[in-house]
Amino acid sequence: MKRLSVIVPVYNEEKMVPRTSAVISKILEKAKIDYEILFVNDGSKDMSWPAIAKECENNPKVRGICFSRNFGKEAAMFAGLECVRGECAVIIDCDLQHPPEKIVEMYRLWEAGYEVVEGVKSDRGKESLFHRILAKLFYKIISRITKIDMENASDFKLMDRKVIDVLNAMPERNVFFRALSSWVGFKSTQVSFKVHEREEGVSKWSAWALIKYAFSNIVSFTAAPMQIVTVMGTGFFFMAVILGIQSLVYKFMGRALEGFTTVIMIELLLGSIMMISMGIIGFYISKMYEELKGRPRYIIVQKLNEQCEE
């Protein structure tokens, strides 16, 4: 039987590691699916790594990777993809908000010939109104930019080995897994799921962290914000032409001083737009700088149970 690899990014989830390991193992063993579980410790500050080490001792099918520091969830997912040995792999959150029982359904669809099985949220669970609005706005923007429907997308997905190899071969350092795994194509289908409530702990995502995550991923995946700067510049050029004509007309009519407030408002607005534009351009330049340096996405300091090649 072909092996399924389960990749579990971990950040400060010491209480959930044993629970997640036990639940996934039980489900896959009951379904008679050969598997491995790969926990990727993303620089946790609690006792997550000792908890992973204990699971590796108790179950030879559990493996562990430990980063030297926190590199982010995207890095943890790609580290898992580069180290798994299964013919297919699924990524699932350690908090079990992604329902692990859906893994079996995904695996059966993969056996039927699908190469990517997307987990699509039918319900986002209990989120604050502000969180829902931010998430909806972000996915509307990224869907419009990428021409890929991502409004209910998630990192919860199963991929065939050929898809994993394509993603691993991509040299870019700043990656947006959720969009990139859809962009590569392949024969795909969807599985809907409802987001479960967290059994332990609290969400690691604050509103500010979500905003930074959204902007960073949009910039890393597309140059559309640069085009927005161009569109704004073009719009203000036509506005400047209209205001210029208006100013000349007022001058010849002897009413030039009446437009003073308008001039101040326009200058303030243009100054703000220019600063925002420079900030966007600077962000792209910083991303280019990071790519040119060629630093690794992550640094692994320890591996447990049947180490994989780096």
Side-chain angles (χ1 to χ4, degrees):
M1 182 180 291
K2 293 181 178 180
R3 181 185 299 176
L4 166 67
S5 297
V6 183
I7 301 168
V8 188
V10 178
Y11 181 67
N12 293 346
E13 297 283 3
E14 60 178 311
K15 293 181 179 179
M16 284 304 301
V17 167
R19 171 69 175 159
T20 301
S21 177
V23 169
I24 293 175
S25 297
K26 183 179 179 180
I27 289 172
L28 296 181
E29 286 168 6
K30 184 179 179 180
K32 294 181 169 37
I33 297 174
D34 186 23
Y35 71 95
E36 66 171 0
I37 301 175
L38 177 59
F39 286 101
V40 184
N41 180 40
D42 184 23
S44 297
K45 295 179 175 63
D46 62 0
M47 299 299 288
S48 292
W49 182 240
I52 293 170
K54 186 176 180 180
E55 291 304 311
C56 290
E57 290 177 5
N58 296 335
N59 187 349
K61 290 190 175 183
V62 176
R63 300 166 56 205
I65 294 174
C66 186
F67 286 175
S68 62
R69 63 170 178 83
N70 178 249
F71 284 91
K73 187 180 179 182
E74 305 292 318
M77 290 188 289
F78 273 92
L81 290 174
E82 289 179 9
C83 288
V84 293
R85 295 185 305 252
E87 282 77 18
C88 62
V90 63
I91 296 175
I92 185 170
D93 286 352
C94 191
D95 55 20
L96 292 183
Q97 288 192 288
H98 295 155
E101 61 272 12
K102 287 289 182 178
I103 295 175
V104 176
E105 184 180 347
M106 290 175 159
Y107 184 82
R108 299 307 179 204
L109 287 168
W110 172 73
E111 286 184 318
Y114 290 100
E115 294 160 323
V116 178
V117 183
E118 302 263 1
V120 177
K121 298 175 185 176
S122 59
D123 180 84
R124 298 190 65 89
K126 292 182 180 179
E127 291 180 335
S128 67
L129 179 62
F130 184 59
H131 192 141
R132 285 177 180 271
I133 292 171
L134 280 179
K136 192 173 183 63
L137 178 62
F138 167 64
Y139 287 116
K140 275 190 175 296
I141 293 172
I142 198 70
S143 296
R144 182 70 63 87
I145 290 171
T146 62
K147 309 301 182 184
I148 300 170
D149 184 10
M150 296 185 64
E151 287 200 36
N152 295 306
S154 71
D155 295 324
F156 185 35
K157 62 182 66 183
L158 182 146
M159 292 164 289
D160 183 83
R161 168 53 63 181
K162 66 177 72 172
V163 182
I164 295 170
D165 290 341
V166 167
L167 290 172
N168 287 339
M170 292 184 176
E172 56 199 88
R173 299 295 190 277
N174 295 288
V175 291
F176 181 21
F177 171 77
R178 202 171 298 186
L180 204 59
S181 56
S182 298
W183 176 84
V184 295
F186 292 95
K187 186 179 180 182
S188 63
T189 187
Q190 296 181 343
V191 169
S192 65
F193 70 93
K194 291 184 177 181
V195 176
H196 287 184
E197 291 302 307
R198 289 182 66 93
E199 297 184 21
E200 295 283 351
V202 295
S203 174
K204 310 303 184 297
W205 292 98
S206 64
W208 177 240
L210 284 170
I211 291 170
K212 289 196 297 182
Y213 174 79
F215 187 71
S216 179
N217 283 326
I218 289 172
V219 169
S220 67
F221 189 75
T222 176
M226 296 282 279
Q227 297 165 2
I228 292 172
V229 171
T230 303
V231 171
M232 287 192 299
T234 303
F236 275 100
F237 170 75
F238 286 113
M239 186 184 296
V241 171
I242 294 170
L243 288 173
I245 294 171
Q246 183 187 50
S247 298
L248 288 173
V249 171
Y250 281 166
K251 181 176 179 60
F252 289 126
M253 293 175 64
R255 297 168 53 193
L257 289 176
E258 291 186 10
F260 182 73
T261 302
T262 303
V263 170
I264 293 298
M265 293 297 295
I266 291 298
E267 284 193 1
L268 289 172
L269 184 60
L270 281 174
S272 300
I273 294 297
M274 287 175 65
M275 294 302 294
I276 292 170
S277 301
M278 289 174 66
I280 292 173
I281 294 169
F283 202 84
Y284 272 97
I285 291 172
S286 71
K287 290 292 183 183
M288 291 167 59
Y289 178 58
E290 289 175 11
E291 291 287 336
L292 287 171
K293 284 189 293 188
R295 289 178 182 172
R297 292 173 182 158
Y298 52 84
I299 298 172
I300 296 175
V301 294
Q302 192 175 357
K303 301 174 185 175
L304 298 174
N305 274 6
E306 302 180 62
Q307 296 180 353
C308 62
E309 296 180 1
E310 294 189 44

